[in-house]
Amino acid sequence: NAGVTQTPKFRILKIGQSMTLQCTQDMNHNYMYWYRQDPGMGLKLIYYSVGAGITDKGEVPNGYNVSRSTTEDFPLRLELAAPSQTSVYFCASSVDWGSGNTIYFGEGSWLTVV
Amino acid sequence: KNQVEQSPQSLIILEGKNCTLQCNYTVSPFSNLRWYKQDTGRGPVSLTIMTFSENTKSNGRYTATLDADTKQSSLHITASQLSDSASYICVVSARSNYQLIWGAGTKLIIKP
């Protein structure tokens, strides 16, 4: 079972470059999320989506953009990369955001901006 | 401000021993509390989810407790194994908007 799949696993970017982190899930979940995890810190929500065509900002959306054209895919776009965006990025999905629903995570994407 | 604090920050125990990890939260109104296990270099994996009315929930050798009055939770690991070495993260959901507040985690190391 694939679950939530993220690519790439590792990437080094130069300051000012742009890139897209890909995320796809095969569980037909409506809700999808992008988190970042900095060393020693809790996960921070960047963007989330409650269904195809619907996205909204989380706690730390600045410097990022998302789109949700299909139920399966939820790419995260980094525009004009900055060193502060060096982090581990996790994509996740769930049936909905309600009580008791398990959130499934991808394996993470390690991004370094130099 | 909604916060989740975990203790200890890190813990080293010998294989076969038991341990208890703590989570205190100030999230209100409370919806549910989750414990996740995160292996190094991997994504978090759900261990338990507890709602307001549940005060104990088990998943194999993992037992989570919840005291909604004192806003505290604990994760007890019995007969630890080397594969239990990981970070354990407490996550609390607010009922008002289902926002998830993530703790920083406890890094557990099991030594043979």
Side-chain angles (χ1 to χ4, degrees):
Chain A
N1 293 333
V4 179
T5 303
Q6 295 180 231
T7 57
K9 182 80 171 179
F10 301 97
R11 181 72 186 267
I12 298 175
L13 273 182
K14 293 184 178 179
I15 294 172
Q17 287 186 322
S18 300
M19 74 160 297
T20 299
L21 298 177
Q22 302 292 342
C23 175
T24 187
Q25 52 93 7
D26 62 359
M27 297 173 281
N28 201 33
H29 286 166
N30 287 322
Y31 282 61
M32 295 188 74
Y33 319 83
W34 273 106
Y35 287 92
R36 61 177 286 172
Q37 185 177 33
D38 298 324
M41 306 290 288
L43 274 71
K44 298 291 186 186
L45 183 65
I46 305 171
Y47 270 94
Y48 68 96
S49 169
V50 302
I54 306 170
T55 63
D56 207 349
K57 296 176 181 179
E59 300 173 76
V60 290
N62 292 342
Y64 307 95
N65 273 302
V66 294
S67 60
R68 184 94 181 270
S69 57
T70 67
T71 299
E72 295 78 20
D73 300 309
F74 190 41
L76 177 71
R77 177 84 176 161
L78 280 74
E79 304 282 1
L80 299 175
S84 61
Q85 293 178 303
T86 294
S87 189
V88 183
Y89 292 84
F90 289 100
C91 181
S93 73
S94 66
V95 171
D96 62 35
W97 209 340
S99 178
N101 286 298
T102 298
I103 300 175
Y104 297 89
F105 285 82
E107 292 297 287
S109 297
W110 272 252
L111 176 67
T112 302
V113 181
V114 297
Chain B
K1 181 180 177 183
N2 288 333
Q3 285 186 318
V4 175
E5 294 185 351
Q6 294 187 243
S7 62
Q9 191 171 17
S10 62
L11 180 64
I12 302 174
I13 64 171
L14 293 175
E15 185 180 11
K17 297 296 187 183
N18 304 334
C19 67
T20 300
L21 314 180
Q22 300 291 342
C23 173
N24 295 335
Y25 62 92
T26 59
V27 178
S28 182
F30 174 84
S31 175
N32 61 73
L33 185 145
R34 308 161 188 248
W35 282 95
Y36 278 85
K37 178 186 179 188
Q38 186 176 22
D39 293 319
T40 300
R42 309 293 294 272
V45 174
S46 180
L47 292 175
T48 65
I49 303 174
M50 287 190 294
T51 59
F52 184 89
S53 59
E54 297 173 299
N55 49 27
T56 302
K57 205 158 194 178
S58 293
N59 178 358
R61 294 179 296 101
Y62 301 101
T63 300
T65 64
L66 172 64
D67 186 334
D69 291 332
T70 61
K71 298 187 177 180
Q72 296 179 325
S73 176
S74 65
L75 181 69
H76 186 74
I77 304 174
T78 304
S80 61
Q81 300 176 359
L82 296 178
S83 59
D84 291 332
S85 293
S87 287
Y88 291 85
I89 307 173
C90 175
V91 189
V92 181
S93 176
R95 182 156 37 91
S96 55
N97 59 6
Y98 294 110
Q99 179 188 8
L100 295 178
I101 313 299
W102 291 75
T106 292
K107 186 176 177 67
L108 177 64
I109 298 172
I110 311 297
K111 292 204 166 183

